[in-house]
Amino acid sequence: MPSGTKQLMSRIPNIPPHIGRDTLLHEFIKASNDVVLITDQKRTISYVNRAACAKTGYRRGELIGSKIHLLYGKENQAKYTSRIVRGLERRGRWSGELELRRKDGAAFWVEAVIVTLFDKGGKPAGTIGVAHDLSDRRLLDRHAWASESHLDHVIESMEDALCVCDIEGKVLMCNEAHSRMLGYHREE
């Protein structure tokens, strides 16, 4: 186990001795619904969990031994690689959103954290990345935006006046019918 991982595991108190830290970490990664990838120093994938395979559509054997940029999509490979490498060199970690590509070419967004792993001599030996799929959140955001846009359209098409005020009587919003009825421009 890389020394960075050992340091992390040493911070977890009260692990029963019959389980062991290595077993606990392995089972945690295996059970995670988030994508977990480990790469060597040359960015070659050396480990993937089942979620990585399920979310990307690749089989374990197709990912292991491949370069990590396989998942970035050609248009993002250089940009993502430079950003991530720069963050890892400066701080030993990088976090942000990435657009990944499934085997079938479909894109999906993840929120990722990538951390440098060090060998026993303290030199960078690779990375471990954990990525949370944002597909559901982005879909909800799109629906919320569409619903809001639809509501705005309905309000503007009403013939009845509609005015929303705060508790002090300040107008927060009014539709065109309200403005016409009072003889004001909406901005007034």
Side-chain angles (χ1 to χ4, degrees):
M1 180 183 326
S3 65
T5 308
K6 284 184 181 178
Q7 288 174 337
L8 173 67
M9 294 305 293
S10 68
R11 294 181 189 154
I12 301 173
N14 306 324
I15 296 175
H18 66 280
I19 293 176
R21 293 180 193 283
D22 291 351
T23 301
L24 178 68
L25 179 62
H26 180 72
E27 292 302 319
F28 176 77
I29 290 171
K30 233 170 56 174
S32 177
N33 288 323
D34 289 334
V35 172
V36 178
L37 299 159
I38 297 176
T39 67
D40 64 16
Q41 190 61 8
K42 295 179 181 177
R43 294 186 276 294
T44 302
I45 300 170
S46 59
Y47 174 84
V48 295
N49 68 344
R50 66 163 184 76
C53 296
K55 305 244 185 225
T56 65
Y58 287 97
R59 292 187 319 270
R60 180 172 269 112
E62 293 174 301
L63 288 171
I64 293 178
S66 298
K67 297 294 185 184
I68 190 69
H69 66 257
L70 168 76
L71 299 174
Y72 296 158
K74 294 196 185 307
E75 68 279 2
N76 291 322
Q77 287 178 2
K79 175 175 64 172
Y80 287 170
T81 299
S82 68
R83 283 183 190 168
I84 292 167
V85 168
R86 196 170 41 248
L88 292 171
E89 287 173 349
R90 289 182 183 159
R91 295 176 298 283
R93 76 184 308 264
W94 179 89
S95 63
E97 291 187 4
L98 299 169
E99 181 184 39
L100 300 183
R101 294 277 174 201
R102 292 183 170 90
K103 184 178 179 178
D104 66 7
F108 69 106
W109 285 88
V110 296
E111 184 173 13
V113 175
I114 302 169
V115 179
T116 303
L117 298 174
F118 297 92
D119 64 17
K120 291 178 183 175
K123 294 185 179 173
T127 63
I128 184 168
V130 179
H132 180 72
D133 186 348
L134 297 175
S135 299
D136 291 340
R137 186 178 92 193
R138 286 187 172 243
L139 182 62
L140 288 172
D141 288 349
R142 237 180 296 148
H143 283 292
W145 182 83
S147 295
E148 186 176 312
S149 177
H150 182 70
L151 180 60
D152 286 346
H153 181 71
V154 169
I155 289 170
E156 285 307 314
S157 66
M158 293 172 54
E159 291 184 26
D160 293 328
L162 176 72
C163 181
V164 177
C165 299
D166 66 12
I167 197 161
E168 297 166 355
K170 178 182 175 188
V171 175
L172 301 175
M173 182 208 107
C174 65
N175 66 356
E176 188 62 35
H178 182 268
S179 300
R180 260 193 332 269
M181 185 181 291
L182 296 178
Y184 288 101
H185 291 285
R186 191 181 311 196
E187 296 78 31
E188 296 177 284

